[in-house]
Tab-separated table of all heavy atoms in Angstrom:
chain	number	residue	atom	x	y	z
A	75	SER	N	-17.890	29.569	-3.497
A	75	SER	CA	-16.954	28.772	-2.881
A	75	SER	C	-15.656	28.554	-3.600
A	75	SER	O	-14.869	27.800	-3.175
A	75	SER	CB	-17.640	27.392	-2.601
A	75	SER	OG	-17.882	26.774	-3.884
A	76	SER	N	-15.554	29.277	-4.748
A	76	SER	CA	-14.370	29.025	-5.531
A	76	SER	C	-13.392	30.214	-5.619
A	76	SER	O	-12.887	30.385	-6.599
A	76	SER	CB	-14.896	28.738	-6.957
A	76	SER	OG	-15.523	29.752	-7.582
A	77	SER	N	-13.269	30.804	-4.422
A	77	SER	CA	-12.270	31.912	-4.339
A	77	SER	C	-10.853	31.347	-4.660
A	77	SER	O	-10.495	30.256	-4.353
A	77	SER	CB	-12.301	32.513	-2.876
A	77	SER	OG	-13.570	33.014	-2.617
A	78	SER	N	-10.067	32.157	-5.280
A	78	SER	CA	-8.672	31.743	-5.551
A	78	SER	C	-7.775	32.961	-5.628
A	78	SER	O	-8.118	33.914	-5.204
A	78	SER	CB	-8.784	31.062	-6.950
A	78	SER	OG	-7.467	30.510	-7.261
A	79	VAL	N	-6.527	32.677	-6.134
A	79	VAL	CA	-5.562	33.735	-6.121
A	79	VAL	C	-4.856	33.772	-7.587
A	79	VAL	O	-4.605	32.786	-8.195
A	79	VAL	CB	-4.530	33.484	-5.169
A	79	VAL	CG1	-3.288	34.517	-5.232
A	79	VAL	CG2	-5.127	33.622	-3.810
A	80	VAL	N	-4.657	34.958	-8.150
A	80	VAL	CA	-3.975	35.103	-9.400
A	80	VAL	C	-2.730	35.766	-9.206
A	80	VAL	O	-2.498	36.712	-8.278
A	80	VAL	CB	-4.830	35.959	-10.370
A	80	VAL	CG1	-4.003	36.605	-11.529
A	80	VAL	CG2	-5.980	35.162	-10.994
A	81	ALA	N	-1.609	35.327	-9.782
A	81	ALA	CA	-0.262	35.828	-9.644
A	81	ALA	C	0.351	36.399	-10.959
A	81	ALA	O	-0.058	35.846	-11.993
A	81	ALA	CB	0.628	34.585	-9.162
A	82	ILE	N	1.163	37.319	-10.777
A	82	ILE	CA	1.829	37.996	-11.958
A	82	ILE	C	3.126	38.576	-11.522
A	82	ILE	O	3.053	39.296	-10.433
A	82	ILE	CB	0.956	38.947	-12.788
A	82	ILE	CG1	1.619	39.398	-14.076
A	82	ILE	CG2	0.503	40.062	-11.972
A	82	ILE	CD1	0.798	40.128	-15.066
A	83	PRO	N	4.226	38.653	-12.249
A	83	PRO	CA	5.405	39.350	-11.849
A	83	PRO	C	5.294	40.799	-12.096
A	83	PRO	O	4.603	41.206	-12.976
A	83	PRO	CB	6.487	38.686	-12.754
A	83	PRO	CG	5.811	38.175	-13.951
A	83	PRO	CD	4.507	37.785	-13.493
A	84	VAL	N	6.106	41.566	-11.204
A	84	VAL	CA	6.074	43.030	-11.282
A	84	VAL	C	7.568	43.566	-11.339
A	84	VAL	O	8.445	42.725	-10.754
A	84	VAL	CB	5.359	43.823	-10.242
A	84	VAL	CG1	3.894	43.374	-10.311
A	84	VAL	CG2	5.848	43.434	-8.882
A	85	ASP	N	7.756	44.687	-11.897
A	85	ASP	CA	9.054	45.269	-12.026
A	85	ASP	C	9.353	46.178	-10.802
A	85	ASP	O	8.424	46.374	-10.028
A	85	ASP	CB	9.333	45.827	-13.370
A	85	ASP	CG	8.590	47.114	-13.639
A	85	ASP	OD1	7.964	47.702	-12.718
A	85	ASP	OD2	8.450	47.417	-14.886
A	86	LYS	N	10.503	46.815	-10.920
A	86	LYS	CA	10.941	47.784	-9.720
A	86	LYS	C	9.928	48.939	-9.630
A	86	LYS	O	9.839	49.587	-8.525
A	86	LYS	CB	12.275	48.285	-9.947
A	86	LYS	CG	12.455	49.110	-11.168
A	86	LYS	CD	14.010	49.458	-11.189
A	86	LYS	CE	14.267	50.289	-12.507
A	86	LYS	NZ	13.514	51.593	-12.624
A	87	ASP	N	9.193	49.278	-10.674
A	87	ASP	CA	8.249	50.432	-10.627
A	87	ASP	C	6.874	49.892	-10.399
A	87	ASP	O	5.858	50.729	-10.366
A	87	ASP	CB	8.195	51.121	-11.911
A	87	ASP	CG	9.621	51.843	-12.385
A	87	ASP	OD1	10.144	52.395	-11.457
A	87	ASP	OD2	10.071	51.682	-13.484
A	88	GLY	N	6.662	48.744	-10.069
A	88	GLY	CA	5.388	48.026	-9.758
A	88	GLY	C	4.522	47.777	-10.910
A	88	GLY	O	3.365	47.479	-10.779
A	89	LYS	N	5.120	47.893	-12.152
A	89	LYS	CA	4.359	47.619	-13.351
A	89	LYS	C	4.325	46.102	-13.546
A	89	LYS	O	5.344	45.445	-13.426
A	89	LYS	CB	4.932	48.335	-14.491
A	89	LYS	CG	4.840	49.806	-14.470
A	89	LYS	CD	5.367	50.525	-15.694
A	89	LYS	CE	5.225	52.016	-15.594
A	89	LYS	NZ	5.826	52.705	-16.741
A	90	GLU	N	3.245	45.610	-14.014
A	90	GLU	CA	3.041	44.149	-14.390
A	90	GLU	C	3.771	43.842	-15.636
A	90	GLU	O	3.667	44.534	-16.530
A	90	GLU	CB	1.493	43.767	-14.311
A	90	GLU	CG	0.920	44.043	-12.884
A	90	GLU	CD	-0.456	43.704	-12.949
A	90	GLU	OE1	-1.102	43.473	-14.023
A	90	GLU	OE2	-1.129	43.576	-11.714
A	91	ILE	N	4.497	42.788	-15.591
A	91	ILE	CA	5.302	42.309	-16.710
A	91	ILE	C	4.536	41.471	-17.661
A	91	ILE	O	4.148	40.378	-17.339
A	91	ILE	CB	6.610	41.617	-16.223
A	91	ILE	CG1	7.383	42.498	-15.269
A	91	ILE	CG2	7.477	41.122	-17.427
A	91	ILE	CD1	8.530	41.797	-14.611
A	92	GLN	N	4.301	42.095	-18.836
A	92	GLN	CA	3.632	41.420	-19.956
A	92	GLN	C	4.578	41.118	-20.999
A	92	GLN	O	4.824	41.886	-21.834
A	92	GLN	CB	2.501	42.333	-20.415
A	92	GLN	CG	1.710	43.030	-19.402
A	92	GLN	CD	0.546	42.265	-18.894
A	92	GLN	OE1	-0.074	41.499	-19.839
A	92	GLN	NE2	0.009	42.491	-17.877
A	93	SER	N	5.191	39.989	-20.959
A	93	SER	CA	6.244	39.632	-21.991
A	93	SER	C	5.846	38.441	-22.762
A	93	SER	O	4.994	37.542	-22.316
A	93	SER	CB	7.616	39.412	-21.277
A	93	SER	OG	7.546	38.214	-20.499
A	94	TRP	N	6.532	38.192	-23.956
A	94	TRP	CA	6.209	37.147	-24.859
A	94	TRP	C	6.618	35.850	-24.128
A	94	TRP	O	6.093	34.755	-24.365
A	94	TRP	CB	6.945	37.328	-26.101
A	94	TRP	CG	8.418	37.243	-25.991
A	94	TRP	CD1	9.337	38.326	-25.739
A	94	TRP	CD2	9.300	36.132	-25.920
A	94	TRP	NE1	10.578	37.874	-25.700
A	94	TRP	CE2	10.670	36.563	-25.751
A	94	TRP	CE3	9.076	34.638	-25.991
A	94	TRP	CZ2	11.696	35.696	-25.651
A	94	TRP	CZ3	10.175	33.822	-25.961
A	94	TRP	CH2	11.450	34.356	-25.750
A	95	PHE	N	7.669	36.018	-23.189
A	95	PHE	CA	8.103	34.826	-22.429
A	95	PHE	C	7.113	34.234	-21.663
A	95	PHE	O	6.962	32.895	-21.555
A	95	PHE	CB	9.252	35.266	-21.627
A	95	PHE	CG	9.819	34.159	-20.611
A	95	PHE	CD1	10.632	33.281	-21.076
A	95	PHE	CD2	9.504	34.150	-19.291
A	95	PHE	CE1	11.147	32.242	-20.160
A	95	PHE	CE2	9.952	33.340	-18.382
A	95	PHE	CZ	10.795	32.337	-18.902
A	96	LEU	N	6.165	34.983	-21.118
A	96	LEU	CA	5.180	34.457	-20.210
A	96	LEU	C	3.867	34.117	-21.013
A	96	LEU	O	3.065	33.244	-20.422
A	96	LEU	CB	4.794	35.528	-19.107
A	96	LEU	CG	5.861	35.892	-18.125
A	96	LEU	CD1	5.412	37.102	-17.306
A	96	LEU	CD2	6.141	34.666	-17.301
A	97	GLY	N	3.664	34.495	-22.221
A	97	GLY	CA	2.496	34.245	-22.977
A	97	GLY	C	1.319	34.904	-22.241
A	97	GLY	O	1.385	36.125	-21.920
A	98	SER	N	0.292	34.198	-22.002
A	98	SER	CA	-0.763	34.737	-21.024
A	98	SER	C	-0.113	34.863	-19.651
A	98	SER	O	0.036	33.954	-19.062
A	98	SER	CB	-2.092	33.950	-21.084
A	98	SER	OG	-2.577	33.890	-22.318
A	99	PRO	N	0.078	36.171	-19.241
A	99	PRO	CA	0.987	36.311	-18.137
A	99	PRO	C	0.432	35.974	-16.786
A	99	PRO	O	1.234	35.699	-15.799
A	99	PRO	CB	1.243	37.828	-18.187
A	99	PRO	CG	0.136	38.435	-18.757
A	99	PRO	CD	-0.387	37.416	-19.813
A	100	TYR	N	-0.910	36.012	-16.512
A	100	TYR	CA	-1.414	35.757	-15.310
A	100	TYR	C	-1.511	34.381	-14.953
A	100	TYR	O	-1.998	33.531	-15.820
A	100	TYR	CB	-2.763	36.495	-15.119
A	100	TYR	CG	-2.670	38.028	-15.208
A	100	TYR	CD1	-2.751	38.569	-16.527
A	100	TYR	CD2	-2.523	38.758	-14.168
A	100	TYR	CE1	-2.560	39.910	-16.778
A	100	TYR	CE2	-2.386	40.233	-14.334
A	100	TYR	CZ	-2.358	40.748	-15.661
A	100	TYR	OH	-2.340	42.129	-15.799
A	101	ARG	N	-1.398	33.870	-13.721
A	101	ARG	CA	-1.497	32.524	-13.300
A	101	ARG	C	-2.480	32.361	-12.119
A	101	ARG	O	-2.296	33.067	-11.190
A	101	ARG	CB	-0.084	31.917	-12.855
A	101	ARG	CG	1.035	32.097	-13.891
A	101	ARG	CD	0.877	31.073	-15.026
A	101	ARG	NE	2.043	31.092	-15.962
A	101	ARG	CZ	2.012	31.890	-16.999
A	101	ARG	NH1	1.074	32.661	-17.309
A	101	ARG	NH2	3.163	31.800	-17.802
A	102	MET	N	-3.571	31.563	-12.365
A	102	MET	CA	-4.519	31.350	-11.373
A	102	MET	C	-4.521	29.938	-10.845
A	102	MET	O	-4.602	28.993	-11.567
A	102	MET	CB	-5.902	31.715	-11.954
A	102	MET	CG	-7.057	31.551	-11.028
A	102	MET	SD	-8.641	32.118	-11.721
A	102	MET	CE	-9.002	30.761	-12.877
A	103	TYR	N	-4.563	29.850	-9.517
A	103	TYR	CA	-4.644	28.456	-8.908
A	103	TYR	C	-5.979	27.882	-9.116
A	103	TYR	O	-7.054	28.473	-9.032
A	103	TYR	CB	-4.386	28.587	-7.322
A	103	TYR	CG	-4.795	27.476	-6.595
A	103	TYR	CD1	-4.244	26.209	-6.845
A	103	TYR	CD2	-5.883	27.576	-5.662
A	103	TYR	CE1	-4.509	25.043	-6.073
A	103	TYR	CE2	-6.173	26.429	-4.848
A	103	TYR	CZ	-5.568	25.180	-5.176
A	103	TYR	OH	-6.013	24.196	-4.399
A	104	THR	N	-6.029	26.574	-9.495
A	104	THR	CA	-7.387	25.956	-9.849
A	104	THR	C	-7.649	24.802	-8.745
A	104	THR	O	-8.631	24.811	-8.128
A	104	THR	CB	-7.344	25.297	-11.235
A	104	THR	OG1	-6.178	24.480	-11.441
A	104	THR	CG2	-7.353	26.416	-12.231
A	105	ALA	N	-6.701	23.918	-8.579
A	105	ALA	CA	-7.024	22.687	-7.724
A	105	ALA	C	-5.792	21.859	-7.410
A	105	ALA	O	-4.768	21.932	-8.141
A	105	ALA	CB	-8.104	21.819	-8.259
A	106	LEU	N	-5.932	21.092	-6.265
A	106	LEU	CA	-4.910	20.113	-5.959
A	106	LEU	C	-5.285	18.775	-6.550
A	106	LEU	O	-6.545	18.350	-6.451
A	106	LEU	CB	-4.621	20.026	-4.558
A	106	LEU	CG	-4.196	21.190	-3.792
A	106	LEU	CD1	-4.015	21.071	-2.282
A	106	LEU	CD2	-2.911	21.697	-4.339
A	107	SER	N	-4.268	17.989	-7.136
A	107	SER	CA	-4.676	16.697	-7.621
A	107	SER	C	-3.382	15.834	-7.395
A	107	SER	O	-2.387	16.020	-8.047
A	107	SER	CB	-5.107	16.760	-9.164
A	107	SER	OG	-5.232	15.439	-9.622
A	108	GLY	N	-3.544	14.922	-6.440
A	108	GLY	CA	-2.345	14.000	-6.189
A	108	GLY	C	-1.211	14.856	-5.691
A	108	GLY	O	-1.391	15.539	-4.646
A	109	SER	N	-0.012	14.827	-6.266
A	109	SER	CA	1.011	15.679	-5.877
A	109	SER	C	1.202	16.901	-6.831
A	109	SER	O	2.227	17.557	-6.656
A	109	SER	CB	2.357	14.893	-5.908
A	109	SER	OG	2.679	14.371	-7.278
A	110	SER	N	0.129	17.153	-7.596
A	110	SER	CA	0.192	18.215	-8.555
A	110	SER	C	-0.682	19.386	-8.102
A	110	SER	O	-1.570	19.280	-7.385
A	110	SER	CB	-0.255	17.763	-9.989
A	110	SER	OG	0.647	16.782	-10.484
A	111	VAL	N	-0.209	20.606	-8.573
A	111	VAL	CA	-1.038	21.784	-8.309
A	111	VAL	C	-1.551	22.434	-9.714
A	111	VAL	O	-0.683	22.662	-10.529
A	111	VAL	CB	-0.249	22.937	-7.623
A	111	VAL	CG1	-1.002	24.141	-7.227
A	111	VAL	CG2	0.426	22.288	-6.393
A	112	GLY	N	-2.830	22.483	-9.856
A	112	GLY	CA	-3.390	22.989	-10.997
A	112	GLY	C	-3.303	24.503	-11.156
A	112	GLY	O	-3.346	25.223	-10.213
A	113	VAL	N	-2.941	24.998	-12.373
A	113	VAL	CA	-2.860	26.478	-12.610
A	113	VAL	C	-3.417	26.695	-13.949
A	113	VAL	O	-3.203	25.878	-14.961
A	113	VAL	CB	-1.367	26.907	-12.458
A	113	VAL	CG1	-0.481	26.328	-13.515
A	113	VAL	CG2	-1.322	28.414	-12.562
A	114	GLU	N	-4.041	27.786	-14.151
A	114	GLU	CA	-4.611	28.184	-15.469
A	114	GLU	C	-3.933	29.584	-15.846
A	114	GLU	O	-3.707	30.422	-15.046
A	114	GLU	CB	-6.189	28.453	-15.296
A	114	GLU	CG	-6.755	28.844	-16.729
A	114	GLU	CD	-8.265	28.994	-16.583
A	114	GLU	OE1	-8.847	28.754	-15.475
A	114	GLU	OE2	-8.880	29.370	-17.555
A	115	LYS	N	-3.540	29.615	-17.089
A	115	LYS	CA	-2.916	30.852	-17.622
A	115	LYS	C	-4.019	31.755	-18.132
A	115	LYS	O	-4.860	31.324	-18.981
A	115	LYS	CB	-1.867	30.503	-18.723
A	115	LYS	CG	-0.748	29.604	-18.339
A	115	LYS	CD	0.255	29.372	-19.483
A	115	LYS	CE	1.437	28.613	-19.011
A	115	LYS	NZ	2.381	28.329	-20.225
A	116	LEU	N	-3.991	33.008	-17.681
A	116	LEU	CA	-4.993	33.874	-17.998
A	116	LEU	C	-4.428	35.172	-18.768
A	116	LEU	O	-3.420	35.561	-18.534
A	116	LEU	CB	-5.761	34.402	-16.808
A	116	LEU	CG	-6.383	33.390	-15.964
A	116	LEU	CD1	-7.013	34.154	-14.703
A	116	LEU	CD2	-7.413	32.552	-16.659
A	117	SER	N	-5.246	35.696	-19.619
A	117	SER	CA	-4.906	37.040	-20.254
A	117	SER	C	-5.371	38.122	-19.200
A	117	SER	O	-5.946	37.784	-18.267
A	117	SER	CB	-5.738	37.151	-21.538
A	117	SER	OG	-7.166	37.267	-21.237
A	118	ARG	N	-4.972	39.346	-19.578
A	118	ARG	CA	-5.367	40.481	-18.694
A	118	ARG	C	-6.877	40.509	-18.556
A	118	ARG	O	-7.376	40.729	-17.399
A	118	ARG	CB	-4.753	41.785	-19.288
A	118	ARG	CG	-5.183	42.901	-18.417
A	118	ARG	CD	-4.796	44.254	-19.122
A	118	ARG	NE	-3.334	44.464	-19.117
A	118	ARG	CZ	-2.666	45.130	-18.035
A	118	ARG	NH1	-3.373	45.520	-17.051
A	118	ARG	NH2	-1.364	45.227	-18.099
A	119	ASN	N	-7.567	40.436	-19.691
A	119	ASN	CA	-8.962	40.522	-19.557
A	119	ASN	C	-9.628	39.452	-18.799
A	119	ASN	O	-10.571	39.724	-17.975
A	119	ASN	CB	-9.626	40.484	-20.995
A	119	ASN	CG	-9.330	41.798	-21.823
A	119	ASN	OD1	-9.081	42.821	-21.203
A	119	ASN	ND2	-9.463	41.730	-23.153
A	120	LYS	N	-9.144	38.168	-18.931
A	120	LYS	CA	-9.750	37.149	-18.171
A	120	LYS	C	-9.319	37.289	-16.694
A	120	LYS	O	-10.263	36.917	-15.764
A	120	LYS	CB	-9.346	35.714	-18.706
A	120	LYS	CG	-9.910	35.453	-19.980
A	120	LYS	CD	-9.576	33.978	-20.389
A	120	LYS	CE	-10.298	33.544	-21.745
A	120	LYS	NZ	-9.984	32.265	-22.119
A	121	ALA	N	-8.170	37.660	-16.310
A	121	ALA	CA	-7.840	37.981	-14.903
A	121	ALA	C	-8.720	39.115	-14.412
A	121	ALA	O	-9.166	39.013	-13.334
A	121	ALA	CB	-6.394	38.373	-14.837
A	122	SER	N	-8.932	40.141	-15.125
A	122	SER	CA	-9.856	41.183	-14.736
A	122	SER	C	-11.166	40.737	-14.520
A	122	SER	O	-11.884	40.974	-13.402
A	122	SER	CB	-9.853	42.256	-15.691
A	122	SER	OG	-10.741	43.341	-15.430
A	123	ASP	N	-11.687	39.812	-15.345
A	123	ASP	CA	-13.103	39.152	-15.119
A	123	ASP	C	-13.146	38.444	-13.860
A	123	ASP	O	-14.197	38.435	-13.145
A	123	ASP	CB	-13.406	38.348	-16.225
A	123	ASP	CG	-13.685	39.003	-17.548
A	123	ASP	OD1	-13.987	40.292	-17.461
A	123	ASP	OD2	-13.748	38.425	-18.547
A	124	ALA	N	-12.037	37.653	-13.548
A	124	ALA	CA	-12.083	36.906	-12.289
A	124	ALA	C	-12.070	37.908	-11.016
A	124	ALA	O	-12.709	37.509	-10.012
A	124	ALA	CB	-10.828	36.053	-12.262
A	125	CYS	N	-11.377	38.986	-11.067
A	125	CYS	CA	-11.455	39.973	-9.995
A	125	CYS	C	-12.835	40.643	-9.901
A	125	CYS	O	-13.281	40.730	-8.820
A	125	CYS	CB	-10.489	41.099	-10.135
A	125	CYS	SG	-8.708	40.468	-10.202
A	126	ILE	N	-13.374	40.873	-11.008
A	126	ILE	CA	-14.845	41.406	-11.010
A	126	ILE	C	-15.750	40.492	-10.284
A	126	ILE	O	-16.803	40.775	-9.596
A	126	ILE	CB	-15.282	41.875	-12.361
A	126	ILE	CG1	-14.400	43.013	-12.853
A	126	ILE	CG2	-16.735	42.284	-12.469
A	126	ILE	CD1	-14.469	43.345	-14.310
Side-chain angles (χ1 to χ4, degrees):
S75 67
S76 62
S77 299
S78 187
V79 175
V80 161
I82 186 168
V84 296
D85 66 18
K86 63 181 179 59
D87 297 317
K89 294 182 179 179
E90 296 178 350
I91 300 173
Q92 313 270 335
S93 70
W94 66 267
F95 172 78
L96 294 172
S98 295
Y100 298 87
R101 303 289 185 264
M102 181 175 68
Y103 164 62
T104 55
L106 300 178
S107 178
S109 60
S110 300
V111 182
V113 65
E114 182 178 355
K115 296 181 179 181
L116 302 179
S117 65
R118 177 187 289 271
N119 285 342
K120 288 187 177 180
S122 177
D123 289 344
C125 293
I126 291 168

